[in-house]
Amino acid sequence: GGLRIIAVQFESATGTTMTQDEMKQAVAQAAVDHIQGRLEDDSIIGVGTGSTANCFIDALAKIKHRFAGAVASSEATAERLRGHGIEVLDLNSVSQMEFYIDGADEFDPHLNLVKGGGGALTREKIVAAVAKEFVCIVDQSKQVDLLGAFPLPVEVIPMARSYVGRQLAALGGQPQYREGFVTDNGNIILDLHDLEVLDPKALEAQINNMVGVVTNGLFARRGADIILMGTPDGVETIR
Ligand code: 5RP
């Protein structure tokens, strides 16, 4: 474990300070560079959701003839992939996946993540589970010592909303119903505010054990394998 910076791979072409968007594009390109040497004609790539994942999809499109297709972690991602002419496959027809590439809302020095700000956490966790390597792409605003400043998203079966809300409150946090939002799976999201995550693996299991919870946004039992982090000075690789 521990945070170890092993490479700086990118510098702003202009030499000026990079904007957050430029950092996202830089890590997206770094992710393409990271995977492309290991792609085969029949490779299937798992693709996450969010603004950083969108940058990755756009960068991936440039090498779309080098692999067979992708599995999407959301309807929005599937649509963007198809828009680039990348074939989107059903996960059930895929038995092997080398890479899953996705962003995160927070990551800690042990490569534990909080995800689900975009509400796609359940499909993200499923696709990540299948992949051999989870490559997480972030800008440096996502780096924390302790998870929990970003409200933890929890996907819940609609009829269990109040019950699960009470259970989550009993953990010491403040659950907030994400108004007007329905997941791709037809469920609701409770965002758990003000909870210090001292033991991410234990908390992930504890919340997932609540009846009515589909998944929570802690990716600790299966965290990232490598993080590519955009900074104003370039992309840092953390593993
Ligand atoms: C979506 C996610 C995203 O990875 C997370 O919200 C980060 O998004 P962005 O790259 O836009 O900051 O987990 O459910």
Side-chain angles (χ1 to χ4, degrees), residues 152-154 156 161 164-165 168 175-177 188-192:
L152 176 65
V154 183
V156 177
R161 185 184 82 209
V164 171
L168 292 174
Q176 212 172 78
Y177 174 41
I188 63 109
I189 299 277
L190 296 176
D191 290 301
L192 189 53

Side-chain angles (χ1 to χ4, degrees), residues 24 49-53 102-105 115-121 124 142:
K24 288 179 186 184
T49 298
S51 58
T52 319
D102 197 359
D105 298 302
K115 292 183 46 52
L121 60 159
E124 291 173 342
K142 311 296 182 60

Side-chain angles (χ1 to χ4, degrees), residues 20-21 23-29 31 47-59 80 101-104 136-139 142 228 230:
Q20 190 176 31
D21 203 54
M23 287 191 252
K24 288 179 186 184
Q25 286 167 20
V27 290
Q29 186 56 50
V47 184
T49 298
S51 58
T52 319
N54 282 345
C55 291
F56 172 73
I57 295 168
D58 298 347
R80 197 176 186 98
I101 295 91
D102 197 359
C136 185
I137 50 176
V138 292
D139 63 77
K142 311 296 182 60
L228 303 174

Side-chain angles (χ1 to χ4, degrees), residues 10-232:
F10 181 90
E11 267 170 35
S12 171
T14 59
T16 56
T17 307
M18 277 199 276
T19 64
Q20 190 176 31
D21 203 54
E22 286 169 330
M23 287 191 252
K24 288 179 186 184
Q25 286 167 20
V27 290
Q29 186 56 50
V32 170
D33 295 344
H34 177 77
I35 68 172
Q36 65 178 339
R38 282 184 281 161
L39 289 180
E40 313 270 349
D41 288 347
D42 61 352
S43 294
I44 309 296
I45 302 167
V47 184
T49 298
S51 58
T52 319
N54 282 345
C55 291
F56 172 73
I57 295 168
D58 298 347
L60 187 66
K62 293 177 196 133
I63 59 158
K64 68 178 176 187
H65 302 297
R66 303 268 312 277
F67 60 96
V71 171
S73 64
S74 64
E75 300 297 340
T77 286
E79 199 173 307
R80 197 176 186 98
L81 287 163
R82 287 193 200 101
H84 281 298
I86 297 171
E87 188 176 355
V88 177
L89 293 106
D90 185 314
L91 183 62
N92 290 311
S93 68
V94 173
S95 56
Q96 199 169 311
M97 187 188 296
E98 200 65 34
F99 302 104
Y100 178 66
I101 295 91
D102 197 359
D105 298 302
E106 281 185 338
F107 74 94
D108 75 7
H110 306 287
L111 277 59
N112 300 310
L113 315 173
V114 167
K115 292 183 46 52
L121 60 159
T122 300
R123 294 189 186 193
E124 291 173 342
K125 206 174 264 201
I126 294 168
V127 184
V130 175
K132 283 198 201 126
E133 186 178 66
F134 181 172
V135 182
C136 185
I137 50 176
V138 292
D139 63 77
Q140 64 178 12
S141 69
K142 311 296 182 60
Q143 187 173 36
V144 297
D145 288 330
L146 204 61
L147 301 175
F150 190 93
L152 176 65
V154 183
E155 179 165 356
V156 177
I157 303 282
M159 73 172 287
R161 185 184 82 209
S162 299
Y163 169 72
V164 171
R166 290 191 293 274
Q167 301 290 106
L168 292 174
L171 294 177
Q174 311 269 351
Q176 212 172 78
Y177 174 41
R178 201 180 290 187
E179 296 273 356
F181 185 85
V182 178
T183 70
D184 285 347
N185 313 307
N187 299 312
I188 63 109
I189 299 277
L190 296 176
D191 290 301
L192 189 53
H193 292 250
D194 304 327
L195 196 69
E196 260 194 5
V197 182
L198 298 173
D199 185 344
K201 283 195 177 76
L203 186 64
E204 180 179 358
Q206 189 181 8
I207 295 177
N208 282 347
N209 264 337
M210 293 176 182
V211 174
V213 168
V214 181
T215 347
N216 71 83
L218 278 166
F219 284 56
R221 303 176 79 80
R222 201 279 191 255
D225 298 303
I226 176 169
I227 292 183
L228 303 174
M229 177 177 75
T231 78

